[in-house]
Amino acid sequence: MATFLKTRVGILVMLAIGILLGYMTIKGGLVAGALLLVAMIGIPTVYGMVAYPIFGICCLLLMAFGLFFIIRFDINYPMGTVLDGMQVLLLLGFFIKQKKYPDWSIFKGPVATMLLIWIGYNLLQIINPSAESRLAWVYTVRTIAILTLMYFVFVYQIRTIDHVRTLLKLWLVLAFVAMVYAYKQEYIGIAAKEIADMESDPLAVSLMFIDGHWRKYSIFSDPVEFSYHMVISALLCIALITGPLKKYQKLGLAIFCILMLNAMLFSGTRGAYVLVPVSLVLLAVLNFNKQILLFSSIAAFGILVMIYIPTSNPSLARFQSAFRPSEDASYNVRKQNQKRIQPYILTHPMGGGLGATGMWGVRFAPHSFLANFPPDSGYMRVAVEMGWIGLFIFCCLMFVVLKSGIEYFFKIRNPELRSYCLGMTLVLFALNIGNFPQEALVQYPNNILFYLAIAIIQVVYKLDIQEQKAAIPAN
């Protein structure tokens, strides 16, 4: 492509495009010029996503990270459908490749089986006798089903260690961008447009303005998604440090990790604060050695100091309150809500139907019992909307996913692949724990990263097996 642009024909083509763009802008206005520009970028992108799957996955991640930041510019277009369309394109590319190079092994195994059962149960919710609205199911299942199917796309299309490296590098670059913007919000100030959007909603003010301090959410939808992402990205850095990297790379990842955990404090999300020490316990158990023991001891000491040190800093004070839940009024309210809804869950084995709570419940069944119930927890939402049957399936899925990550970590021999497996297992473990106090898997990009992490665990194990088989003849 670069060579073509240097030729006379390439220069003439670019000149013609420039003239056409200018002409369209003059004749049709800025909108016409912008539409032409979008078409020039969009058509090659659509082709690239179908024909070059890793490029498509990278585009999906870029859009997932930037979605809510783009929405802040009041673009009069349902941007969520763009992400849906990108996932459909990836599925189209998957089906084309699967037809040409069939590989049915990706649908076998405990993880794939549980994901298929989970998809099937979500589809079965259409006949839920307790559901107040079928339209709520339509809007909800669209996202859940497509997102879950992304796992099979990832497992099939991520074929080499270079693919894994590319995706993890992109993940960390995007996390770096999010972190920098959070520091900008904290120390330079929140943009006037962002402040105006929050102040226009009294409920948002009550949730976002605490103790005279605005909670930061960077480029994400809300502080919870931002803080959880900082945690899982920091855990990924810690896992990569255990791999075969050079000293300067490990130092860079360590500094990046510390900066992200500090940025996490800007969010004021108590649920995220607990994830770090809990995940470090799993790290110490899985990768027990002198270095990890020393690191864990230092980290534990540092966390204890942060919990008990006297402070007037609002972010640190909120961090400390996360480890004293009995003193937290919001936590006690959530406990009461969960206690109140338990009889409903026990008497409705399939729940109240997908989309019964939250935005879709208010929109499609505003007078229903569940429409105004605040789930405040991913597990509670599953239990309320999909019943104790759905909760059981979801818990089994989480168990199988984490079991495979832990099991493969001990089986993988390649130290680089092992560090990737460890990182993804820590990410899944943190999101699993974080899904209890908050909803960790409902918004972009964390919901996509959840399925990407599951897929990478399977991919690196498969790559390691291939390496081991290739090494046998040499011996």
Side-chain angles (χ1 to χ4, degrees):
M1 184 67 180
T3 306
F4 171 74
L5 292 177
K6 292 178 182 178
T7 64
R8 289 183 179 181
V9 176
I11 293 171
L12 288 173
V13 169
M14 293 303 294
L15 182 62
I17 291 173
I19 293 171
L20 179 62
L21 184 60
Y23 177 79
M24 289 287 290
T25 304
I26 293 170
K27 288 293 184 180
L30 188 61
V31 174
L35 288 174
L36 179 61
L37 188 61
V38 168
M40 289 164 54
I41 298 171
I43 293 173
T45 301
V46 167
Y47 172 77
M49 290 192 68
V50 175
Y52 304 99
I54 298 303
F55 169 77
I57 295 171
C58 289
C59 289
L60 180 68
L61 290 178
L62 284 166
M63 189 62 191
F65 273 82
L67 175 67
F68 290 99
F69 186 73
I70 295 171
I71 289 174
R72 293 177 201 174
F73 292 97
D74 292 332
I75 295 175
N76 189 23
Y77 188 81
M79 296 303 296
T81 58
V82 174
L83 262 173
D84 291 341
M86 295 175 85
Q87 292 173 76
V88 169
L89 288 174
L90 284 173
L91 284 170
L92 176 61
F94 164 72
F95 288 130
I96 292 172
K97 284 281 184 71
Q98 180 72 2
K99 184 178 180 181
K100 194 173 182 180
Y101 308 105
D103 179 11
W104 299 105
S105 65
I106 63 171
F107 297 102
K108 298 176 182 178
V111 171
T113 300
M114 284 308 307
L115 286 168
L116 290 172
I117 291 172
W118 177 244
I119 293 173
Y121 185 71
N122 276 269
L123 296 175
L124 191 65
Q125 282 286 317
I126 187 65
I127 61 170
N128 186 340
S130 301
E132 294 283 348
S133 170
R134 301 292 179 238
L135 271 177
W137 175 87
V138 171
Y139 276 80
T140 307
V141 79
R142 180 192 69 183
T143 304
I144 294 175
I146 293 178
L147 266 176
T148 309
L149 286 172
M150 282 298 101
Y151 161 81
F152 298 101
V153 174
F154 297 150
V155 167
Y156 181 81
Q157 304 287 24
I158 303 173
R159 293 176 173 270
T160 68
I161 192 169
D162 285 332
H163 290 168
V164 178
R165 289 172 185 153
T166 298
L167 294 173
L168 293 184
K169 285 177 183 176
L170 179 61
W171 178 338
L172 292 179
V173 167
L174 294 172
F176 177 79
V177 172
M179 180 197 74
V180 170
Y181 195 76
Y183 275 96
K184 178 265 176 188
Q185 288 182 324
E186 179 71 12
Y187 294 110
I188 298 177
I190 302 175
K193 177 68 171 62
E194 294 169 343
I195 290 286
D197 287 343
M198 289 188 289
E199 290 181 339
S200 65
D201 183 359
L203 179 60
V205 173
S206 67
L207 294 174
M208 301 287 286
F209 193 71
I210 297 176
D211 297 328
H213 190 77
W214 285 104
R215 298 172 66 187
K216 308 306 183 297
Y217 54 99
S218 185
I219 61 175
F220 297 97
S221 60
D222 55 74
V224 173
E225 289 300 310
F226 165 62
S227 61
Y228 278 19
H229 184 73
M230 288 294 98
V231 169
I232 62 175
S233 298
L235 292 172
L236 174 57
C237 288
I238 293 171
L240 294 177
I241 290 172
T242 67
L245 297 177
K246 296 177 181 178
K247 287 186 178 180
Y248 76 89
Q249 292 175 317
K250 292 186 177 184
L251 178 61
L253 286 171
I255 294 171
F256 186 23
C257 175
I258 293 169
L259 290 173
M260 282 193 290
L261 292 178
N262 185 55
M264 172 199 68
L265 297 175
F266 305 157
S267 71
T269 304
R270 293 187 183 96
Y273 304 154
V274 182
L275 301 184
V276 180
V278 172
S279 299
L280 289 179
V281 171
L282 179 63
L283 172 67
V285 171
L286 291 181
N287 202 26
F288 187 79
N289 55 50
K290 291 181 180 179
Q291 290 81 7
I292 293 295
L293 181 61
L294 177 62
F295 170 76
S296 300
S297 301
I298 294 172
F301 177 76
I303 291 170
L304 286 173
V305 169
M306 291 177 68
I307 292 173
Y308 292 105
I309 190 173
T311 182
S312 58
N313 183 291
S315 296
L316 187 54
R318 193 165 175 82
F319 172 84
Q320 292 174 343
S321 69
F323 297 89
R324 305 180 187 117
S326 59
E327 301 174 11
D328 180 13
S330 64
Y331 176 79
N332 291 325
V333 169
R334 289 174 185 175
K335 281 185 65 177
Q336 292 173 5
N337 285 334
Q338 292 172 6
K339 194 72 177 176
R340 177 170 61 89
I341 205 68
Q342 281 179 3
Y344 181 90
I345 296 171
L346 293 173
T347 54
H348 293 75
M350 291 187 69
L354 281 178
T357 62
M359 177 177 65
W360 300 127
V362 172
R363 178 176 174 180
F364 295 112
H367 304 296
S368 66
F369 173 69
L370 297 177
N372 296 307
F373 174 76
D376 292 326
S377 162
Y379 281 100
M380 185 54 61
R381 179 183 287 273
V382 171
V384 169
E385 293 188 355
M386 307 180 74
W388 55 262
I389 296 176
L391 182 62
F392 176 74
I393 294 172
F394 187 73
C395 289
C396 287
L397 170 62
M398 287 295 187
F399 171 77
V400 169
V401 164
L402 289 171
K403 177 180 177 293
S404 70
I406 294 170
E407 182 182 340
Y408 293 165
F409 173 75
F410 289 109
K411 287 183 177 181
I412 293 174
R413 295 180 184 178
N414 183 310
E416 182 183 356
L417 295 174
R418 204 163 183 255
S419 69
Y420 297 157
C421 181
L422 175 62
M424 297 303 99
T425 302
L426 290 176
V427 165
L428 293 173
F429 181 73
L431 289 175
N432 183 36
I433 299 297
N435 204 36
F436 176 73
Q438 300 283 353
E439 294 187 75
L441 306 173
V442 296
Q443 288 291 9
Y444 297 106
N446 292 346
N447 49 7
I448 288 180
L449 294 177
F450 172 74
Y451 290 103
L452 179 62
I454 299 174
I456 287 177
I457 289 174
Q458 310 303 314
V459 169
V460 295
Y461 179 61
K462 188 189 302 181
L463 291 174
D464 189 72
I465 289 176
Q466 292 172 1
E467 281 190 5
Q468 291 181 37
K469 289 181 177 178
I472 291 174
N475 295 331

